[in-house]
Amino acid sequence: MDTEADTCRKQVVPRLVEAGWEQAPYAINEQRTFTDGRIVFVGGKARRGRQKRADFILRYRPDFPIAVVEAKSKYKHAADGLQQAREYAEILGLKFAYSTNGREIFEVDYTTGVEREIADYPSPEELWHRLSSAENLDATIKDHLLSPTYPDKSKPLRYYQEIAVNRSVQAVLQERKRILLTLCTGAGKTAVAFQISWKLWNGGWNSKGKTRKPKILFLADRNVLVDDPKDKDFSVFGDARFKISNGEISKGRDIYFAIYQAIAGNETRDGIYKDYAKDFFDLIIVDECHRGSAREDGNWREILEWFDQAYQIGMTATPKREDNADTYAYFGDPIYEYSLAQGIADGFLAPYRVHRIISDFDAAGWRPSKGELDRYGREIPDSEYGTRDFERVIAVRARTEAFAAHLTTFMKQTDRFAKTIVFCVNQEHALEMRNAIARMNADIVKEYPDYVCRVTSDEGDIGSAHRANFQDIDRRTPVILTTSQLLTTGVDAPTCKNIVLARVVGSMSEFKQIIGRGTRLRPDYGKLAFNIIDYTGTATEKFADPDFDGDPIREREEVIDENGDIIEETDVTEETHPSGTDDDTDSVDISDGGLPDDEEFGSPRKFYYDGGSVEIIRQLVYELDSDGRKLACRQLTDYTGDKVRTLYPNASELRNDWLDPARRAEIIEQLQEKGIDPESLSEAVGKPEADPFDLLCHLAYNAPLRTRRERADRLKKDESEFFERHGAEAREVLDALIEKYAEHGAAQFTLPDVLEIPPFNDWGNVVEIAARFGGGKAMREAVNELQMRLYGA
């Protein structure tokens, strides 16, 4: 029977070649994988889920895909692949999708909405004509739009980056003055910005229509956000680059870099941006544009309005919300969005576990005794203090030390050298936290003095050096950085495995930036996921927000004593909702140079309480499932049953496919992609002796639960005729297989592997054992029939 591969090779390729798709500059990408496959945890081990792979992607130019083709075997209807073709076309941003069985071809034309059967594939020029007519792409636009991106074989563009680049360039060429891209942290916005710049610069475009290279300005609000792109991604521009800083300007380069603070005006001087003519720049790219660049009352807005003749592309990681409405009002709706949830689903970003840690002070609040004095002998005002007050109104040393003790224990149990960032309330809190962690890890600090470091604006160049060493994947230390605002963005630390929240984060935009410090993947360094350790309830609150695009799931409760030791572990049966987490974080006023001072200017001096003890009383652990939905451990059985019923509405259909060893393997793979391992599920739900099939039927259809031993005994009793059909020596093998199954499970039916262990290897090699059945084929047929009868009732 011909397969899909046969259809592709014998039918589809020749007809695509006939239509002209193999002739340069056109191209046929056959069996092209465009996602990496979501990372899921099966039996506690990380593994990749199934990748998305198109049978054919048709490219009008190497950097410009235009259509997708899905093929089915010739025995199926040509339209059977239409739904998948549509799905892939919509993910890849393509306007044409085809489904075929080799003989018939169905076409979906998104430019007209028409779905029809066609005789032959359209030629490349026919598809371009349709696309250009629908989207008003004239000859001038075509030349620049199809200009090649920079060829980087070590870091080719992912599918969503290619979409973002092409749509941005098209919007510029169609004279859209303000453009917005919403790409989650970790999605590679810098690579997108570089390739947009390269296509326009290399293609000779400029906004005046003159024969010269364009003038492009890359703007951000922190030095690290412009220095890294300038020195890395944009380095291929060579001497065409220039950074405007320290009052120095140049007008003879093409690619400019600047932070707002360096070129904006203040009370003592005019902005040096006015030294450039209003029409000097052809294109301005604004990185992290949600951080106030578009506020009407901000001096940053003055810069954008001064260069209002330039095309302006804003790049942000945060979807539209109340706290960044100005950004969307200025730039308009995004022309393309790629979310954190989509990045995790595609396997380009790391999934995460959320550990919600609750202290008694945070759970119930704290009230001082009458006349209680602080460190400096001042009476602490009588009030009920909660999470939002700690380290802002009153500093509680025991609380900081309890957090440090818990974090130390957590890392001892997982990995003491896992790169970790601790976000504190302010610089003073970051110092207290750093000192507490250092004291509790004296054995390591003795050998590695920089094991834990504070990185805030107070450290200046020393802090910058610690940050650079932390980012260096080949340096072991520093391991833990404590900070307040400085590391919320612009720090690419691909091996960071722990994000610790010791302060309330009120802004969703800032929260996503913080989470983004951990989303980078580095499988070669063992980084496949990361932990969010939340002491303030911020993560729980933000994940409950319907606007957040990636929910945590699995929930487990651990009771921990004041020393950070786990003394009890149970499943929880109710959701917990943190109180006191509605506090808005202070706005960050960043001076020239991009280092924020996070002291609360003008606020009353806080009180310092050094007495008492703080106990960690609960820990809730959340994980992401394969669908990115919320699930508690108490629901693991319900979740499994739901997923099984999604695949098979009733037990008889599941049984029919389970009887076939090949189909059984496919079912197991499908369940594993959902984070369910049938073999380890029995251990997880406390039924280690249950057969996986019986357990799945029990959870999905409330069927009676049998043990493997019960199923084996029933087979021997009810199927004696089957055993009697075989000779004594063959029955000996079958009896041993049944016994192996009863003890260890269905994996024991794997041939020829099982024949290489006792007692089978006592009876000779594989060929000799097969001879007991009359040969290898007969032996396989007997073992397959054994399994079918085992699960037949």
Side-chain angles (χ1 to χ4, degrees):
M1 181 181 291
D2 281 0
T3 63
E4 288 183 17
D6 294 324
T7 301
C8 293
R9 185 178 65 257
K10 298 176 182 178
Q11 303 290 333
V12 182
V13 172
R15 296 181 72 175
L16 288 174
V17 171
E18 184 180 346
W21 284 99
E22 203 173 48
Q23 300 175 17
Y26 320 121
I28 303 170
N29 293 159
E30 187 173 357
Q31 297 299 312
R32 180 53 56 95
T33 297
F34 57 89
T35 71
D36 283 355
R38 175 194 286 273
I39 295 172
V40 294
F41 288 85
V42 180
K45 296 181 180 179
R47 55 158 286 176
R48 288 279 187 184
R50 186 173 298 175
Q51 298 170 313
K52 285 186 169 64
R53 182 174 62 190
D55 289 332
F56 299 93
I57 295 176
L58 306 182
R59 291 183 174 268
Y60 186 70
R61 292 291 187 274
D63 302 312
F64 198 90
I66 198 170
V68 63
V69 180
E70 282 302 304
K72 296 298 178 184
S73 69
K74 69 179 183 179
Y75 300 102
K76 293 187 177 182
H77 194 282
D80 279 358
L82 210 53
Q83 182 176 341
Q84 188 175 46
R86 278 182 172 276
E87 178 191 354
Y88 287 175
E90 290 164 13
I91 292 173
L92 297 171
L94 306 178
K95 297 298 183 183
F96 306 100
Y98 298 90
S99 177
T100 182
N101 59 6
R103 293 174 286 105
E104 299 143 340
I105 305 169
F106 275 82
E107 176 189 71
V108 178
D109 184 340
Y110 283 88
T111 67
T112 62
V114 174
E115 182 178 312
R116 60 177 180 158
E117 184 175 356
I118 58 177
D120 296 295
Y121 294 102
S123 68
E125 291 303 326
E126 180 183 342
L127 285 192
W128 174 259
H129 176 73
R130 285 199 234 166
L131 180 66
S132 60
S133 297
E135 301 192 359
N136 300 313
L137 306 176
D138 59 28
T140 302
I141 291 176
K142 176 181 179 180
D143 290 342
H144 292 300
L145 180 60
L146 300 180
S147 178
T149 55
Y150 182 79
D152 186 351
K153 293 183 178 179
S154 65
K155 195 168 65 173
L157 289 179
R158 294 167 175 165
Y159 79 87
Y160 63 86
Q161 294 173 320
E162 191 172 59
I163 295 171
V165 170
N166 286 332
R167 288 191 184 176
S168 299
V169 171
Q170 180 174 327
V172 168
L173 297 173
Q174 293 181 320
E175 301 184 350
R176 179 169 173 171
K177 281 291 186 177
R178 295 174 183 174
I179 301 161
L180 183 64
L181 290 172
T182 301
L183 304 173
C184 66
T185 300
K189 292 190 293 293
T190 303
V192 171
F194 162 67
Q195 292 290 6
I196 292 170
S197 302
W198 179 267
K199 276 176 76 83
L200 294 172
W201 183 84
N202 191 51
W205 167 87
N206 65 76
S207 60
K208 318 298 187 302
K210 298 179 181 178
T211 308
R212 64 167 175 81
K213 298 286 190 182
K215 303 289 187 182
I216 299 174
L217 173 63
F218 186 90
L219 262 182
D221 69 337
R222 301 189 182 186
N223 276 310
V224 68
L225 293 180
V226 297
D227 290 342
D228 273 4
K230 179 179 72 72
D231 298 336
K232 295 175 182 176
D233 289 69
F234 285 77
S235 62
V236 298
F237 285 106
D239 291 339
R241 296 166 298 158
F242 182 79
K243 182 182 178 184
I244 305 170
S245 60
N246 301 318
E248 297 180 9
I249 67 170
S250 170
K251 297 183 180 180
R253 310 292 179 90
D254 294 333
I255 312 297
Y256 294 79
F257 300 84
I259 60 172
Y260 296 103
Q261 303 90 316
I263 63 176
N266 55 36
E267 296 174 353
T268 62
R269 62 173 172 83
D270 287 334
I272 65 172
Y273 67 86
K274 293 183 178 179
D275 290 348
Y276 292 92
K278 288 191 170 186
D279 64 350
F280 181 80
F281 291 109
D282 298 285
L283 174 66
I284 299 177
I285 299 176
V286 186
D287 193 18
E288 308 291 1
C289 66
H290 62 277
R291 284 210 297 272
S293 62
R295 287 201 308 265
E296 278 192 49
D297 60 348
N299 60 358
W300 298 358
R301 176 73 167 262
E302 294 178 11
I303 299 171
L304 299 179
E305 290 182 343
W306 178 265
F307 297 117
D308 62 356
Q309 295 182 45
Y311 292 91
Q312 298 176 4
I313 300 177
M315 305 184 78
T316 179
T318 57
K320 186 176 182 180
R321 293 180 53 84
E322 212 174 291
D323 56 13
N324 63 2
D326 287 331
T327 298
Y328 283 76
Y330 182 82
F331 287 102
D333 291 333
I335 62 171
Y336 185 63
E337 296 181 81
Y338 189 76
S339 69
L340 173 63
Q342 189 61 49
I344 293 174
D346 287 341
F348 296 131
L349 298 178
Y352 51 86
R353 294 184 181 91
V354 181
H355 303 255
R356 172 66 174 108
I357 315 301
I358 307 171
S359 76
D360 51 1
F361 272 43
D362 291 273
W366 176 76
R367 187 170 186 172
S369 303
K370 185 176 180 180
E372 187 96 53
L373 302 180
D374 82 341
R375 182 186 304 169
Y376 299 103
R378 298 173 301 172
E379 183 173 345
I380 302 173
D382 183 24
S383 182
E384 194 77 38
Y385 297 100
T387 301
R388 63 187 296 175
D389 303 313
F390 297 132
E391 304 307 324
R392 295 181 184 277
V393 179
I394 183 165
V396 180
R397 175 178 289 173
R399 179 173 176 267
T400 298
E401 290 180 346
F403 291 173
H406 176 268
L407 178 61
T408 297
T409 300
F410 176 85
M411 295 182 69
K412 284 180 177 179
Q413 293 172 345
T414 53
D415 179 1
R416 294 189 79 178
F417 283 89
K419 294 291 181 76
T420 301
I421 303 178
V422 184
F423 291 94
C424 304
V425 173
N426 50 41
Q427 298 192 64
E428 182 183 43
H429 187 214
L431 180 60
E432 292 282 345
M433 186 67 73
R434 181 263 161 211
N435 292 342
I437 295 172
R439 285 196 301 273
M440 295 171 188
N441 291 275
D443 57 326
I444 291 186
V445 172
K446 179 180 179 181
E447 184 176 356
Y448 300 97
D450 61 345
Y451 176 75
V452 53
C453 302
R454 181 179 76 154
V455 177
T456 64
S457 57
D458 280 358
E459 276 76 29
D461 291 342
I462 295 175
S464 296
H466 288 322
R467 183 190 65 208
N469 291 337
F470 181 84
Q471 291 176 262
D472 188 340
I473 59 177
D474 293 320
R475 290 187 67 104
R476 198 173 195 192
T477 57
V479 173
I480 304 172
L481 298 185
T482 66
T483 187
S484 54
Q485 298 277 1
L486 193 57
L487 300 179
T488 57
T489 188
V491 178
D492 185 8
T495 57
C496 181
K497 292 184 178 180
N498 299 318
I499 301 295
V500 181
L501 299 174
R503 69 173 172 91
V504 173
V505 182
S507 161
M508 178 65 82
S509 300
E510 183 185 14
F511 176 68
K512 287 195 172 185
Q513 291 291 333
I514 289 173
I515 297 309
R517 301 311 102 213
T519 55
R520 274 73 169 181
L521 278 170
R522 280 309 296 259
D524 50 335
Y525 281 79
K527 168 71 181 297
L528 290 170
F530 70 104
N531 297 295
I532 302 168
I533 303 170
D534 178 18
Y535 294 106
T536 66
T538 287
T540 309
E541 177 197 12
K542 296 305 181 217
F543 291 142
D545 190 319
D547 288 335
F548 188 80
D549 56 2
D551 296 330
I553 58 157
R554 195 160 299 148
E555 184 175 327
R556 184 181 305 114
E557 177 180 315
E558 295 172 354
V559 179
I560 303 171
D561 64 17
E562 62 271 16
N563 297 319
D565 296 325
I566 297 173
I567 58 176
E568 183 181 346
E569 187 172 342
T570 59
D571 290 347
V572 298
T573 57
E574 78 281 351
E575 300 280 344
T576 60
H577 299 280
S579 60
T581 56
D582 57 346
D583 181 36
D584 288 332
T585 51
D586 300 325
S587 59
V588 185
D589 180 18
I590 304 172
S591 60
D592 190 6
L595 300 179
D597 183 356
D598 55 5
E599 290 297 320
E600 297 183 27
F601 191 74
S603 63
R605 181 171 181 173
K606 62 187 176 186
F607 293 87
Y608 296 83
Y609 177 63
D610 296 340
S613 63
V614 175
E615 182 180 351
I616 302 298
I617 58 172
R618 297 185 80 190
Q619 174 169 321
L620 310 178
V621 183
Y622 299 81
E623 293 178 355
L624 279 177
D625 75 350
S626 60
D627 296 324
R629 294 176 182 162
K630 196 168 185 177
L631 172 73
C633 257
R634 71 183 188 280
Q635 297 173 314
L636 179 59
T637 54
D638 296 335
Y639 171 75
T640 301
D642 179 62
K643 294 306 175 186
V644 172
R645 287 190 299 272
T646 300
L647 295 174
Y648 295 94
N650 55 64
S652 61
E653 292 185 27
L654 174 60
R655 185 189 306 277
N656 288 339
D657 279 0
W658 195 269
L659 292 175
D660 180 352
R663 284 293 296 130
R664 188 188 313 151
E666 293 177 10
I667 295 169
I668 292 173
E669 182 180 1
Q670 287 177 301
L671 291 174
Q672 286 178 336
E673 287 180 1
K674 300 296 184 183
I676 301 166
D677 180 16
E679 296 298 330
S680 58
L681 181 64
S682 56
E683 295 284 349
V685 299
K687 304 291 183 181
E689 300 300 320
D691 181 271
F693 171 77
D694 290 306
L695 185 56
L696 294 175
C697 288
H698 177 68
L699 297 177
Y701 318 111
N702 201 30
L705 187 59
R706 297 176 178 174
T707 66
R708 293 190 303 273
R709 175 62 65 186
E710 289 172 337
R711 192 169 275 283
D713 290 344
R714 185 208 58 81
L715 177 68
K716 292 178 181 179
K717 177 182 177 182
D718 297 346
E719 299 290 345
S720 57
E721 182 182 346
F722 164 72
F723 289 96
E724 289 171 1
R725 282 199 275 115
H726 299 279
E729 288 188 330
R731 286 202 304 271
E732 187 178 25
V733 175
L734 295 175
D735 287 340
L737 285 172
I738 287 296
E739 187 61 28
K740 284 287 185 182
Y741 156 79
E743 292 179 1
H744 305 293
Q748 303 304 312
F749 294 127
T750 304
L751 297 177
D753 299 357
V754 71
L755 302 181
E756 297 175 0
I757 62 174
F760 306 99
N761 56 4
D762 295 333
W763 303 329
N765 58 34
V766 174
V767 175
E768 291 170 328
I769 295 171
R772 296 185 172 203
F773 293 85
K777 181 181 179 182
M779 179 177 66
R780 289 187 179 278
E781 289 175 351
V783 173
N784 286 343
E785 185 177 354
L786 176 69
Q787 294 179 71
M788 293 180 68
R789 291 179 179 274
L790 179 67
Y791 292 111

